[in-house]
Each structure stands twice: as structure tokens, then as C-alpha cells.
Amino acid sequence: MIETQRLTKHFKDVRAVDGIDLTVARGELVALLGPNGAGKSTTLRMLTTLIPPTSGTASVAGFDVVRQQREVRQRIGYIGQGNGAGHSQRGRDELLSQGRAYGMGLRQARTRAAELIDSLGLGDVADRTVSTLSGGQRRRLDIAMGLIHAPELLFLDEPSTGLDPQNRANLQEHILRLRAEHDTTIVLTTHYLDEADSMAERVIVVDHGRVIADDSPARLKAEHVGDTIRLGFDTEHAAAGAATVLSGRGGSAYGKELTIRTESGPRQVPGMLEDLRSAGLPVASVEVTRPTLDDVFLTLTGRSLREGGSKTDGTPVPELVEV
Amino acid sequence: MTSLVTDTRTVFSRELRPTLRSPFTMIIAMVQPLVFLGLFAPLLPGDRSAALQWFVPGIIVMSCLFSASMTGSNLLFEIQTGSHERMLVTPLRRPALLIGRALKEIVPMVAQAALIVLVCLPFGYRFHLGGALLGLVVMAGFSIGVGALSYTLALASKNQEWLFWTVQQTVLFPILLLAGVLLPLDGGPGWLRTLAAWNPLRYVVDAERALFDGDIWQATTVTGLVAAAGVAAFGLFVGVRAMRTST
Ligand SMILES: Nc1ncnc2c1ncn2[C@@H]1O[C@H](COP(=O)(O)OP(=O)(O)OP(=O)(O)O)[C@@H](O)[C@H]1O
Ligand SMILES: [Mg+2]
């Protein structure tokens, strides 16, 4: 569905996207994850024909994004980082003109708009001027506009930014259903790690315009971080002793605590406790932490995703959620 | 299936909708040239109805130029919010985006022209309906070109609105004066007339004066049409290119 070769975009001296090779198959749900300024939006903007690549090629839905823009546009939907609805317009009108832009008949566009208004909970606000809507309501309107023509390939740039938890869950459900019912291919960018984690079966981590990891969330976590087991003891002496007993598992003692990094924490704990009991070292507390994608990012780049980079393009920096 | 015409209609009706919903702004816009006419026309020398005969088409062209040059101003905000980007991703034909927006600025202009003519009738102004309608076609062509250029200017000045307004204001008045809209060019020095010869608006104004008087089969009609078509083609070419390369 998407195939890029050395896709690159430079803005003067900024290497926004720096040679990305990407292949996305039909029906996949892929999340692009990365800090502010990583090049996620720029990548999406090239794939949606909005900006020409500096070099490299991209084919989207079977057509070249530079030479066959119209064919590409007819097949994709795009929900950008900004607000798609004109502020002086009314929501329903915007949905209708969006449908018309995709060649839908007036009646068909009306029916479809009504459906989306209903399913995105916009019934009370669809006939108001867009500038009077709340940020989250506007965001849902954007999403409705992106879905009006039921595209086979959908790009979403931070779709859930600005939504409250309930609407976020609602949106995720919507996206998953779209995929289940219509086999829609979906590429989304997000800062919400839990979102990437729970929705996408494939996460592409981008930093400084390059892909630094590309795998399922589970494998990324297992491969790059693993679980952390923390064993608490009553004395430092016991902790040091435990480190010796479990030396084969690669632990390190610090104070009264022993920390072990491993691939499958929960399954290893019982064995460890057994070993320690036979060695006469009673464990006072046990804690197993599963890694987050943020940990993956930290391991890969040495920086936390939450700190992010600087933001220069004037759009508000979306908030990151604690996971 | 869509075509350039249906695409243009989609853009045009989207643009026009908010204006129709708040007719107040349109009324204000219509009154402006009347005020101008009321204050300026009495200053014209000579016989009043002859003066009107010369002046009215000029005022109509002027308000048409002003309206069309505003095409990009609505766009500036939409570029910032993201709704322009959203339209660019749709399969709407690029020229339709330009033409639809430009035409939306012209619709109030047609109403304006009708109002100006009506107001002037009691003061001895006479016009030829067929000629005037053909005149509107010439103006529409010209406005599409100016609108597309204004659109391009908005694209070029995104994130720096002052640029749009500075260029728009700086360019507008020389074009207006060098077209002989407010004062006849005949008495001007040679260099001024040479400059004016390169101004397409000048040919549009000359054509409108003849057309509104009913002199349809004139060379000015042809040169006016050619000038308007030329500006339209140039504007659309530049505009579509700017949309392709704008980041
Ligand atoms: N039109 C532009 N002109 C100049 N520089 C740009 C432009 N668009 C993006 N950039 C720069 O390119 C880099 C990548 O930006 P991009 O918007 O793709 O990041 P992002 O990953 O989407 O970030 P965010 O999470 O903040 O949305 C940034 O350094 C940004 O400042
Ligand atoms: Mg972005």
C-alpha cells in the first residue's frame, strides 16, 4: 500500500526526513512514534502529496506521489495535525463540501455526513459555526471529514491530541472498527505511547528524520529493554548475598535492592525466590515492571520521548500523557 | 464523477456560504464604492452625465480589482489552521481551488455593479445591457487572474501576514492609477503612457467603457478580452505551480 525509497525532505538546512525506506502492506495499522520535530508530519505530508520530496520516491496506493497526485488523492484520507474545518463554516456544511470534493452526490454526502455526525457524537454541534466548538469537538469534526469517503488508506497525524480520555477511547475504537470492517490501511502518528501500544501491531520509531526501530510493540520492548525485576531485602548484606546467588541472571545490587533486567520477568520470579530461599536470603518485596515504549525510545536514543525536541513550526505542542 | 466545473462549484459554494449567512459584511462592501462615487463624481469637470458615463465603468472595475485582490486574505487564516491543507489533499483540481475562491469574491461585485448603475440612472447615466453583460464576462476573467495571484501571494506569505498586505497595497494603487480609472491618462507625460501600455487593467477599463456605452464591435473589446484572458491564464499558471511547490 505504501512503498518508499530513501524518502528525504530538507528544509533549507533542516533534514526533516532523512532517507526513509518504508513498506506498509494492505490492512496494516502502523504507528509512527517520535519526539517533536522527528519528521513524522513531514513524512505524512509527502505521502499525502502535500509537499514534494527533496529526493527519493514514494508510491502510495499504487501511485507515485509526485507524478500521479490525483490518483493518490482519490484513494487516501488525511487528518492533519491542524484543524481541517474552516472556522467561519458550519460543521455539517464542511462535511458536505468534503464529500463533494471526493465526487459524492449531494444525497449520498448528506447521508454519510449524518452517519458520521452521529457516530462521532457531534449531533449537538454540527450545525454551529466551527469557531465556537471546543478543541475536542473540532478534532472529532476533523476525523469525520477524513472518513467521509471511506478511504482505503487513512493517514492520521496525532488524531487524539486534545481529546479527553473517553473520546480518545471512542476514536481508537472507531479506527479499529474501520479496519475490521473495511480492511482500511491506517498510518497514524502519536505521542501517546499507550495508544501506539494498544492499537498498532507495528510501531515505527522515528528520530531526526530516520527510522530507528520498526517492529511490534511487544517485540520492541522485549528486544530493546526487557522487564525489570526489583527485589527488596531487609539488609544491604542480604541484597549483596542475593546478587551473588543470582549472578547468573545478571543482577546488580544497590542498597537494600537488587535489580535484574530480563526478557520475561514474571516467569522468572518464582525460580528466583526459590533459589534465594534455599540460600537463606528471605525476600521482603518483589516488583516486576514491564517496559513502556518510552523505555524503548530511551534505550534507542538516550533521550526520553517525553522531553521531546524543540518545536519551531508554531503549532501548539501536544501534551504527552504519563503511562 | 467530478470535472473542473463541479470542483469549482464545490469550492465556490463552500466559500460563499459564510458570506451568505452574514449578509451584513456584504452590505458594507456594497456601500463602499457608492460612497466613493458620491464623493468623487462631483469633482469631475464638465457635464455631469458625460462624467458619469466615463466614470461609472471605472468605479466598477476598481471595486472588482479590490475584491479579487482580497482572495488570498481569507486563505491566510485557513493556511494557519490547516483547512487549506485539508482541501489540498482532496482530489479537487488545483485550478478549481483558485477559480472557486476568486469567483466568490466576484459575486458581491456583480451585485455592486448593479447597485452602482441603478443609483446613477436618475443622474442621467445610460448603459447598454448586452454590452454591460459582456463587460462582466471580461471582468470575471480578469478577476480570476487577480484572485489566483492573490492566492499565490497568500501562499508565499504564510506565517508572515504583513507581507501579504504590504505587497497587496503596494501593487494595487499603481495598477489602478496606470489604468486611467480615476483620471484620464491622455494628458499624462509620455513615460506614464508607456507604462500604462503595459498594464493589462488599462485595456480592461477601456473595453468596459465602450461596452457599457454599447459600443460592442470595437477593437477595445478584443484587446480587453485578450488582456483579461492573459491575466487569467498567467494567474492560474503561477497559482497552480505555487500550490505544487509550496511547503
Ligand atoms: N515548512 C517547514 N519549513 C521549515 N522547516 C520545517 C517545515 N516543516 C517542518 N520543518 C522542520 O522539520 C522538522 C520535522 O518536523 P515535523 O513537523 O515533521 O516533526 P513531527 O515529528 O511531526 O513533530 P511533532 O511531534 O512536533 O508534530 C522540524 O525540525 C521542523 O521544524
Ligand atoms: Mg507533527
Side-chain angles (χ1 to χ4, degrees):
Chain A
M1 209 57 174
I2 301 175
E3 181 108 39
T4 75
Q5 265 132 28
R6 313 286 319 141
L7 191 63
T8 303
K9 182 77 197 180
H10 293 179
F11 296 107
K12 300 205 180 84
D13 48 352
V14 183
R15 298 172 165 223
V17 175
D18 201 11
I20 286 190
D21 295 307
L22 193 67
T23 307
V24 177
R26 182 176 293 274
E28 267 194 298
L29 198 171
V30 178
L32 287 181
L33 189 67
N36 289 144
K40 304 181 297 292
S41 298
T42 306
T43 305
L44 251 51
R45 284 159 52 79
M46 282 191 281
L47 295 178
T48 52
T49 75
L50 279 169
I51 50 174
T54 309
S55 65
T57 59
S59 119
V60 170
F63 294 94
D64 187 272
V65 295
V66 177
R67 281 175 288 118
Q68 296 164 303
Q69 298 192 322
R70 223 178 117 70
E71 285 80 3
V72 172
R73 289 182 191 129
Q74 272 160 345
R75 287 164 180 81
I76 63 170
Y78 170 67
I79 294 155
Q81 202 166 351
N83 277 128
H87 281 209
S88 54
Q89 303 276 350
R90 294 186 185 176
R92 192 185 301 271
D93 293 343
E94 282 290 68
L95 282 168
L96 292 183
S97 62
Q98 180 82 346
R100 304 284 283 157
Y102 283 97
M104 295 166 79
L106 192 55
R107 189 179 310 162
Q108 189 192 4
R110 278 222 180 89
T111 319
R112 180 76 182 138
E115 254 170 53
L116 286 164
I117 286 169
D118 190 44
S119 72
L120 284 159
L122 288 165
D124 296 335
V125 298
D127 296 305
R128 271 176 24 196
T129 309
V130 171
S131 58
T132 68
L133 304 193
S134 79
Q137 290 165 341
R138 250 178 255 171
R139 201 63 191 137
R140 278 182 278 150
L141 183 57
D142 292 339
I143 289 155
M145 283 196 289
L147 298 179
I148 191 109
H149 57 302
E152 52 182 306
L153 170 59
L154 185 63
F155 293 95
L156 304 103
D157 201 353
E158 296 183 24
S160 50
T161 298
L163 294 184
D164 61 25
Q166 192 196 333
N167 279 307
R168 207 143 76 81
N170 191 320
L171 169 66
Q172 294 182 5
E173 191 191 310
H174 216 94
I175 292 174
L176 291 175
R177 197 167 59 225
L178 201 68
R179 183 149 168 265
E181 286 172 10
H182 304 285
D183 201 27
T184 310
T185 312
I186 295 166
V187 177
L188 57 88
T189 76
T190 181
H191 293 262
Y192 292 110
L193 300 154
D194 57 338
E195 190 165 270
D197 212 347
S198 65
M199 287 175 73
E201 65 264 316
R202 186 171 158 204
V203 174
I204 297 175
V205 185
V206 184
D207 191 29
H208 295 306
R210 291 167 184 267
V211 174
I212 54 174
D214 178 355
D215 215 329
S216 72
R219 275 211 299 276
L220 277 178
K221 287 186 284 193
E223 212 166 289
H224 296 283
V225 191
D227 299 338
T228 307
I229 303 170
R230 284 196 189 79
L231 301 174
F233 298 89
D234 290 329
T235 65
E236 290 187 15
H237 181 72
T244 323
V245 173
L246 300 179
S247 60
R249 302 185 198 248
S252 63
Y254 184 79
K256 296 179 188 173
E257 201 174 76
L258 177 66
T259 308
I260 298 159
R261 293 200 168 243
T262 171
E263 262 180 40
S264 48
R267 283 211 251 142
Q268 296 203 26
V269 171
M272 289 181 187
L273 295 183
E274 198 98 321
D275 293 352
L276 291 171
R277 201 201 328 250
S278 4
L281 294 165
V283 176
S285 67
V286 181
E287 189 189 319
V288 181
T289 358
R290 318 296 315 253
T292 63
L293 285 175
D294 191 33
D295 298 322
V296 174
F297 193 78
L298 185 64
T299 322
L300 285 169
T301 66
R303 285 174 298 120
S304 169
L305 190 54
R306 289 190 203 128
E307 289 154 14
S310 60
K311 184 80 195 173
T312 51
D313 62 3
T315 44
V317 179
E319 278 178 34
L320 295 171
V321 79
E322 296 294 323
V323 288
Chain B
M1 248 7 275
T2 61
S3 65
L4 183 62
V5 175
T6 59
D7 280 359
T8 304
R9 198 174 60 205
T10 302
V11 177
F12 171 77
S13 51
R14 168 179 188 265
E15 291 302 312
L16 195 61
R17 217 174 272 130
T19 314
L20 293 180
R21 288 234 158 94
S22 63
F24 189 66
T25 49
M26 211 153 109
I27 292 171
I28 297 277
M30 306 239 312
V31 171
Q32 267 171 4
L34 284 182
V35 172
F36 196 87
L37 191 70
L39 297 176
F40 207 94
L43 298 174
L44 291 171
D47 170 45
R48 191 172 60 190
S49 78
L52 278 179
Q53 217 59 34
W54 184 84
F55 200 57
V56 165
I59 286 291
I60 293 175
V61 170
M62 182 181 87
S63 56
C64 153
L65 176 69
F66 281 167
S67 316
S69 75
M70 296 294 285
T71 304
S73 73
N74 295 329
L75 192 67
L76 283 170
F77 188 58
E78 299 217 325
I79 289 177
Q80 277 166 21
T81 60
S83 52
H84 181 243
E85 186 173 274
R86 186 261 303 175
M87 308 258 308
L88 285 182
V89 179
T90 67
L92 285 172
R93 286 165 182 78
R94 310 295 104 163
L97 290 165
L98 298 166
I99 301 172
R101 277 185 194 259
L103 286 180
K104 175 258 167 177
E105 303 298 333
I106 304 175
V107 164
M109 198 277 299
V110 173
Q112 249 172 30
L115 186 67
I116 292 172
V117 166
L118 281 180
V119 167
C120 291
L121 285 179
F123 298 98
Y125 178 66
R126 290 295 167 259
F127 79 105
H128 184 274
L129 185 62
L133 289 178
L134 185 56
L136 285 180
V137 173
V138 174
M139 273 189 274
F142 180 75
S143 303
I144 286 173
V146 172
L149 291 174
S150 171
Y151 194 115
T152 310
L153 181 58
L155 286 178
S157 25
K158 77 172 167 183
N159 303 329
Q160 34 190 359
E161 261 182 58
W162 58 267
L163 185 63
F164 179 85
W165 295 113
T166 311
V167 175
Q168 192 242 14
Q169 298 291 325
T170 314
V171 171
L172 220 50
F173 279 95
I175 289 185
L176 206 58
L177 293 171
L178 285 175
V181 170
L182 302 176
L183 294 166
L185 289 165
D186 305 331
W191 61 266
L192 196 112
R193 275 179 283 152
T194 313
L195 274 181
W198 287 95
N199 182 4
L201 183 63
R202 188 236 149 110
Y203 299 99
V204 173
V205 177
D206 287 350
E208 298 299 337
R209 290 211 171 102
L211 285 169
F212 274 71
D213 278 349
D215 291 338
I216 296 172
W217 307 110
Q218 295 282 331
T220 50
T221 306
V222 179
T223 49
L225 272 170
V226 169
V231 171
F234 176 69
L236 290 177
F237 175 76
V238 172
V240 170
R241 248 180 73 102
M243 271 190 257
R244 290 239 165 81
T245 52
S246 164
T247 52

